[in-house]
């Protein structure tokens, strides 16, 4: 089960907080797949989040997100900057996608953005997050900014487009896409069904 | 509990098929509120459904809708025309919103569009639907095309915009909006909570 996500994305926050536990309970190995929505939105003629472009939709989303987090018991504070630039965080998550700590890092970045209103594009914010997880922050940040790491994230974003992904979060199971925090359960049901009837 | 819907809208199909029973089980009196998305989309610069404008999103929607209907046990056939013009059907549903048969009519129109691939803008299609429900179809169609009926639907669409509604289906409870077939349960939970703690 692949979890495709962009760090700036609002509904990806509750999704990222939930999916690790849900996948584990379902016996579905989870792959963390960060990608960038910016280039995808740009191709649709959007230079920012559609939630900023379409006011009614944006107003609704913030209220709905607040209610959603409230129901799930997840802390939420509306960020003062939206969307925040998640490029460096995505490069780190992409480079270290196989590391056992990647889930904790991803959740930490989302909490920083959507519960603590921190500037996740700031390397010192990400650095202290990594340090708190017990890692050598500067070594990690440095390797995530190497040209190979940059190319890896670009390739992963291209792969997202190739798969038909257009928004975040998207869960991909067995070539099927499930878009939105509200589709995680459907993705899990699909996974369970495929295990019974492969 | 108000159910705001546009007949051309895809996810409104499973929502319309489900909501009457769910609202009734929850003891929530349901008000059927047809409106038009066309004028709302036009203000955003869209001359057709965003599912037609944004191909990846459209492709996803059709597959997701098929899966959703499949899980709910609702018949589905992708319409050969999308979006279909639901103006006359909306005028009928608006004019007769208080009639005891409005729910059956609404579901009938959605089934015609999304399960039988029928042209719901055709007065004869709507007429036979009304006849099958035991009504005087020509009298109903005629009164729905009177100038008062037209004005009523325009006013209702203005009201939708005033409420912040931007898509269909939207359930409105206690001034809160719940957008999407996948938010009906959240709307019902909100309604139940408000009854306990008014």
């Amino acid at each position: 089960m692949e979890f495709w996500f962009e760090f700036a994305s609002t509904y990806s926050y509750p999704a990222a907080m939930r999916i690790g536990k849900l996948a584990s309970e379902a016996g579905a190995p989870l792959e963390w797949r960060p990608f960038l929505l910016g280039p995808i939105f740009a191709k649709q003629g959007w230079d920012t989040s559609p939630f900023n472009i379409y006011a009614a939709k944006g107003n609704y989303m913030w209220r709905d997100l607040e209610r959603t987090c409230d129901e799930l018991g997840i802390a939420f504070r509306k960020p003062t900057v939206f969307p925040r630039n998640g490029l460096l965080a995505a490069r780190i998550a992409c480079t270290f996608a196989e590391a056992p700590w990647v889930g904790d890092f991803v959740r930490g970045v989302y909490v920083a953005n959507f519960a603590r209103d921190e500037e996740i594009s700031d390397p010192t914010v990400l650095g202290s997050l990594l340090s708190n997880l017990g890692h050598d922050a500067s070594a990690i940040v440095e390797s995530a900014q190497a040209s190979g790491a940059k190319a890896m994230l670009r390739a992963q974003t291209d792969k997202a487009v190739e798969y038909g992904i257009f928004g975040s979060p998207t869960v991909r199971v067995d070539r099927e896409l499930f878009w939105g925090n509200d589709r995680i359960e459907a993705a899990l049901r699909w996974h369970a069904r495929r295990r019974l009837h492969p």
Side-chain angles (χ1 to χ4, degrees), chain A:
Chain A
M1 205 158 101
E2 302 164 6
F3 181 64
W4 291 79
F5 62 99
E6 146 77 57
F7 279 111
S9 156
T10 54
Y11 285 113
S12 303
Y13 167 46
M17 301 306 282
R18 297 184 324 120
I19 197 160
K21 187 160 175 277
L22 291 172
S24 162
E25 285 166 359
L30 189 65
E31 296 174 28
W32 298 88
R33 299 281 174 100
F35 72 108
L36 298 179
L37 273 177
I40 295 174
F41 284 174
K43 276 180 203 153
Q44 305 189 342
W46 300 333
D47 60 357
T48 180
S49 164
F51 292 127
N52 288 342
I53 298 171
Y54 305 112
K57 197 166 186 172
N59 291 338
Y60 171 78
M61 178 277 292
W62 290 115
R63 176 63 183 138
D64 186 52
L65 184 64
E66 185 181 27
R67 286 189 313 227
T68 300
C69 289
D70 191 45
E71 278 200 309
L72 294 168
I74 293 171
F76 171 71
R77 195 197 309 173
K78 186 180 170 185
T80 49
V81 178
F82 175 79
R84 286 206 163 101
N85 186 332
L87 176 62
L88 178 57
R91 283 177 178 159
I92 293 172
C94 190
T95 309
F96 294 92
E98 309 294 326
W101 50 265
V102 67
D104 288 328
F105 173 73
V106 169
R107 286 183 288 269
V109 175
Y110 276 111
V111 167
N113 195 1
F114 293 106
R116 290 206 308 263
D117 193 20
E118 291 177 3
E119 186 41 77
I120 60 164
S121 66
D122 184 343
T124 63
V125 167
L126 299 181
S128 72
L129 226 158
L130 290 163
S131 302
N132 289 341
L133 291 172
H135 303 299
D136 180 343
S138 58
I140 286 171
V141 169
E142 193 177 332
S143 64
Q145 284 173 322
S147 65
K150 293 178 179 178
M152 197 188 293
L153 180 62
R154 273 197 302 273
Q156 190 142 289
T157 297
D158 290 346
K159 190 55 99 174
V161 172
E162 186 193 316
Y163 285 163
I165 292 171
F166 56 90
S168 174
T170 296
V171 177
R172 186 169 176 269
V173 190
D174 184 38
R175 294 205 196 108
E176 295 281 323
L177 302 181
F178 297 86
W179 173 49
N181 173 57
D182 43 36
R183 286 295 187 284
I184 292 181
E185 282 73 11
L188 291 165
R189 287 194 297 272
W190 188 272
H191 178 265
R193 203 162 65 165
R194 287 289 136 160
R195 284 179 86 185
L196 291 170
H197 313 284

